[in-house]
Amino acid sequence: MKPGSPEHKRLLCGFFTDSFVDFKPESIRFPDLAPSDLERLKALPVWEEAVKTEASTALLVQTFGRKVRDADFREAIAMNGFEEGRHAALLAGLTKRYGIEIPEADPKPDDDPEWGFLRVGYGECFDSFFGFGLFALARDSGFFSRDLVSIFEPVMQEEARHIIFHANWVAYTRSEQPLLNRGAFAFKQALAAGVQTYSRIKTALRSAPTRRTSR
Ligand SMILES: [Fe+2]
Ligand SMILES: [Fe+2]
């Protein structure tokens, strides 16, 4: 299949919308946790960053979705944005349910919606590379109760769909560019990947425990 062909778009948008799973974050019932489980959950230093990232991703994807001219891509990207909004709502529900205090997310739109979409897509690739492994570890090791972990299984599935969609949307969009613009798009793409990698490294360093040195 040729990237940028009508068949590529049909398969990509069809796969994305056909694999949508309908669930409402507000109807999810978070299980009661044993005191030790609750303590472990609360001690994870990820909640503020996770809620912030999901809320920002939702805003950026939804904003871009409204600007897309092609009806098939518009529908798929709007769905992607809707799912990101559900992730943010699900995390907000979890933090509220277990009394994890975090500031309310205040996402900012990007002046260039395409740039925003490119960035969040690469951010998701980067996060998922580690996130999927950590999720499997949490599930298989019994570190958290199965009931709690299973609530996030659909989120993992959705993030995988988003990455497949993003990678293919990039390939499609690049091949659609007039020859002279392709270099500029490839540069924007590489820059977005670089910016997201840098921002994730910065976040990781910020959340790393500071080592005390004795003299
Ligand atoms: Fe998400
Ligand atoms: Fe996502």
Side-chain angles (χ1 to χ4, degrees), residues 28-92:
I28 296 229
R29 301 186 74 82
F30 290 98
D32 290 333
L33 296 179
S36 58
D37 280 0
L38 183 60
E39 217 170 284
R40 268 206 304 272
L41 188 79
K42 284 178 149 182
L44 285 179
V46 298
W47 300 117
E48 183 179 345
E49 193 62 36
V51 170
K52 215 168 78 183
T53 302
E54 291 293 356
S56 167
T57 304
L59 176 69
L60 294 174
V61 176
Q62 286 162 9
T63 307
F64 181 58
R66 285 193 288 272
K67 301 274 174 199
V68 172
R69 268 193 241 125
D70 182 282
D72 297 321
F73 276 124
R74 195 168 54 240
E75 184 192 3
I77 293 170
M79 186 176 275
N80 184 338
F82 172 76
E83 291 174 1
E84 295 298 358
R86 282 199 307 202
H87 298 171
L90 192 64
L91 284 175

Side-chain angles (χ1 to χ4, degrees), residues 26-163:
E26 48 292 358
S27 62
I28 296 229
R29 301 186 74 82
F30 290 98
D32 290 333
L33 296 179
S36 58
D37 280 0
L38 183 60
E39 217 170 284
R40 268 206 304 272
L41 188 79
K42 284 178 149 182
L44 285 179
V46 298
W47 300 117
E48 183 179 345
E49 193 62 36
V51 170
K52 215 168 78 183
T53 302
E54 291 293 356
S56 167
T57 304
L59 176 69
L60 294 174
V61 176
Q62 286 162 9
T63 307
F64 181 58
R66 285 193 288 272
K67 301 274 174 199
V68 172
R69 268 193 241 125
D70 182 282
D72 297 321
F73 276 124
R74 195 168 54 240
E75 184 192 3
I77 293 170
M79 186 176 275
N80 184 338
F82 172 76
E83 291 174 1
E84 295 298 358
R86 282 199 307 202
H87 298 171
L90 192 64
L91 284 175
L94 177 141
T95 51
K96 193 168 164 212
R97 165 73 172 86
Y98 296 119
I100 301 169
E101 283 178 28
I102 50 166
E104 208 172 311
D106 181 25
K108 304 271 181 295
D110 202 299
D111 291 342
D112 176 355
E114 185 184 71
W115 169 247
F117 185 66
L118 265 174
R119 262 193 321 108
V120 295
Y122 286 114
E124 297 216 298
C125 292
F126 197 85
D127 293 344
S128 299
F129 183 79
F130 298 101
F132 289 174
L134 289 174
F135 180 77
L137 211 65
R139 185 192 55 202
D140 300 340
S141 65
F143 190 71
F144 288 118
S145 88
R146 276 200 168 262
D147 292 346
L148 180 61
V149 172
S150 66
I151 290 174
F152 287 91
E153 189 72 48
V155 175
M156 296 297 121
Q157 297 291 338
E158 285 175 0
E159 295 300 10
R161 284 167 61 251
H162 297 171
I163 290 169

Side-chain angles (χ1 to χ4, degrees), residues 4-14 17 64-79 114 165 169 172-173 176:
S5 62
E7 193 199 359
H8 185 199
K9 186 179 81 166
R10 190 176 49 75
L11 266 176
L12 178 57
C13 295
T17 49
F64 181 58
R66 285 193 288 272
K67 301 274 174 199
V68 172
R69 268 193 241 125
D70 182 282
D72 297 321
F73 276 124
R74 195 168 54 240
E75 184 192 3
I77 293 170
M79 186 176 275
E114 185 184 71
F165 183 84
W169 174 84
Y172 185 97
T173 306
E176 238 193 346

